[in-house]
Amino acid sequence: MSRAALVVIDVQESFRQRPIWAYGSNPDMIRQVDRLVAAARQRGDLVVWVLHSEPGTGGFFDPALGYVRLIDGLVPVEGEPTLVKTAHNAFTTTNLQQLLTQAGITDITVCGIRTEQCVETTARVGADLGYRMTVVSDATLTFPIPHRDLPEAATVEEILADPRTLTNEEIVTRTEYALAGRFATIRTVDEVTGAPLVESRG
């Protein structure tokens, strides 16, 4: 029985409703996640899906609006739990640790949306709990981060034009640097799946 799990974090329609979606760091993220899921299933690893919810807020993460669901094309199979969290990391407000303990999991691979937020915090908490963590960086996605002094109502154009805005590349580089060798191993989809992506030819 496999002692490994793949945790897919926040790959949900909520993010696609935001104007900033078009400026995400990794246009191939959904396909990359799909590759990781297929490889995990083939190995017999546990696949856990995690969604983020902000009930009562009226925003895109409010389940009442119907966007707190997996992005179209990603579908759990029987035996793959879907957890709903209300904190950034996947452990604090769910029964993820209990589920992993019952399954005898020792190694966790994570991917998903917000490289530096939900993915990173899950890796850090998982490492603190004693799991061997792997972050598949090219199966994550993030967005430019505005400077703290920029007004909350700033438009996407204003965020992108501000020289203080952290770029996607800077965010991913900083996150990998902070995690690598301390909280997680950084790997690529090709390394985890053992096969490079084969482009379809039309």
Side-chain angles (χ1 to χ4, degrees):
M1 180 178 176
S2 174
R3 296 173 66 82
L6 172 67
V7 179
V8 183
I9 305 171
D10 296 357
V11 186
Q12 63 193 75
E13 288 292 332
S14 309
F15 283 105
R16 289 218 288 198
Q17 309 310 308
R18 293 177 156 185
I20 198 77
W21 174 259
Y23 301 94
S25 62
N26 185 2
D28 245 5
M29 185 268 306
I30 298 170
R31 183 164 51 162
Q32 296 286 57
V33 169
D34 197 44
R35 291 177 62 203
L36 286 178
V37 170
R41 288 170 178 165
Q42 190 172 33
R43 289 190 300 266
D45 297 348
L46 175 65
V47 178
V48 182
W49 304 85
V50 182
L51 299 172
H52 185 76
S53 176
E54 298 174 359
T57 60
F60 295 125
F61 292 89
D62 188 334
L65 272 67
Y67 299 120
V68 181
R69 55 185 171 84
L70 292 173
I71 282 178
D72 293 342
L74 297 176
V75 181
V77 299
E78 185 177 354
E80 295 178 355
T82 299
L83 310 181
V84 179
K85 65 181 178 63
T86 55
H88 292 310
N89 80 81
F91 287 96
T92 302
T93 57
T94 72
N95 67 336
L96 177 59
Q97 184 182 7
Q98 179 184 19
L99 188 156
L100 297 173
T101 299
Q102 290 173 342
I105 300 300
T106 57
D107 297 76
I108 302 172
T109 298
V110 294
C111 62
I113 296 183
R114 291 266 193 204
T115 311
E116 81 294 347
Q117 192 177 69
C118 300
V119 173
E120 179 178 2
T121 56
T122 297
R124 287 174 178 265
V125 173
D128 282 348
L129 292 172
Y131 296 103
R132 286 189 291 270
M133 303 298 300
T134 297
V135 172
V136 186
S137 194
D138 62 343
T140 70
L141 176 137
T142 195
F143 310 96
I145 299 177
H147 189 271
R148 61 183 177 274
D149 292 337
L150 202 65
E152 192 172 332
T155 65
V156 172
E157 291 73 19
E158 290 170 332
I159 292 171
L160 296 177
D162 188 337
R164 301 170 299 177
T165 294
L166 274 183
T167 67
N168 292 331
E169 185 178 29
E170 289 171 328
I171 294 165
V172 172
T173 298
R174 290 177 183 214
T175 302
E176 290 179 346
Y177 192 94
L179 290 176
R182 302 168 70 209
F183 299 99
T185 299
I186 307 298
R187 300 184 73 190
T188 66
V189 175
D190 286 353
E191 290 171 337
V192 173
T193 63
L197 176 65
V198 177
E199 296 289 346
S200 61
R201 299 181 184 273

